[in-house]
Amino acid sequence: MKREFELKDLDQIEMGRRIRRQREFLDYTREDLAGYLGVSSKFIADIEYGEKGISIRKLYMLAQILEVSADYILAGQRYGNIADVEKDRLKEEILEPLKICNTQQLKCMEQIAKFYVEAIKQR
């Protein structure tokens, strides 16, 4: 008996958006990412705009560099247990507003976070 599959199309534009979002989340420039992958920053831009594809080897490297799964890059699916997914979402929510902070402000937030974690440990 033949099994029926519903195959999805690869949306390179959405894939590129996920790559860009994660690159920016990690505070990498296109030049940084290009250097890690051994490609040009123009190539990274082309991938992020969905104009070019990427080899399996580069996809594997990219997933490691961006600290996400290849499934997330390709289809936007994050796997893991629900608690891990929620934890990752919360980390992203916490870090997002910090992107506009300067170095001095970030150092202050670092100290606040350290004090908070120490207080939690002592409970």
Side-chain angles (χ1 to χ4, degrees), residues 6 15 30 39 46 49 55 57 67 75 84-85 97 102-104 114-115 117 119:
E6 183 179 328
M15 184 179 96
R30 283 189 181 135
V39 298
D46 288 344
Y49 289 120
S55 71
R57 177 182 292 278
E67 301 172 13
D84 288 342
V85 171
N102 63 33
T103 303
Q104 183 179 0
K114 285 180 180 178
F115 290 137
V117 169

Side-chain angles (χ1 to χ4, degrees), residues 54-118:
I54 187 168
S55 71
I56 291 173
R57 177 182 292 278
K58 294 293 184 193
L59 174 64
Y60 185 61
M61 291 171 63
L62 185 62
Q64 293 173 74
I65 293 163
L66 295 180
E67 301 172 13
V68 295
S69 69
D71 284 333
Y72 174 72
I73 292 172
L74 293 169
Q77 298 174 346
R78 291 187 187 258
Y79 294 107
N81 65 42
I82 293 171
D84 288 342
V85 171
E86 179 66 4
K87 187 175 177 181
D88 287 346
R89 186 193 66 75
L90 287 169
K91 284 180 186 178
E92 289 178 22
E93 290 293 321
I94 290 167
L95 293 174
E96 183 64 31
L98 298 177
K99 289 181 180 179
I100 64 167
C101 294
N102 63 33
T103 303
Q104 183 179 0
Q105 292 165 332
L106 288 171
K107 286 180 182 179
C108 181
M109 289 304 299
E110 177 187 27
Q111 288 303 312
I112 291 169
K114 285 180 180 178
F115 290 137
Y116 181 77
V117 169
E118 281 302 314

Side-chain angles (χ1 to χ4, degrees), residues 8-26 33 44 47-50 59 62-63 66-78 92 99:
K8 299 176 185 174
D9 288 330
L10 177 64
D11 186 339
Q12 283 189 210
I13 293 172
E14 283 302 315
M15 184 179 96
R17 286 183 183 143
R18 285 187 290 277
I19 291 169
R20 180 178 182 177
R21 207 170 25 247
Q22 186 65 15
R23 173 183 60 76
E24 289 174 346
F25 175 74
L26 294 172
L33 188 54
I44 298 298
I47 291 170
E48 288 182 352
Y49 289 120
L59 174 64
L62 185 62
L66 295 180
E67 301 172 13
V68 295
S69 69
D71 284 333
Y72 174 72
I73 292 172
L74 293 169
Q77 298 174 346
R78 291 187 187 258
E92 289 178 22
K99 289 181 180 179

Side-chain angles (χ1 to χ4, degrees), residues 32-54:
D32 293 334
L33 188 54
Y36 296 142
L37 280 176
V39 298
S40 70
S41 56
K42 168 80 168 92
F43 183 72
I44 298 298
D46 288 344
I47 291 170
E48 288 182 352
Y49 289 120
E51 295 172 4
K52 290 204 175 179
I54 187 168

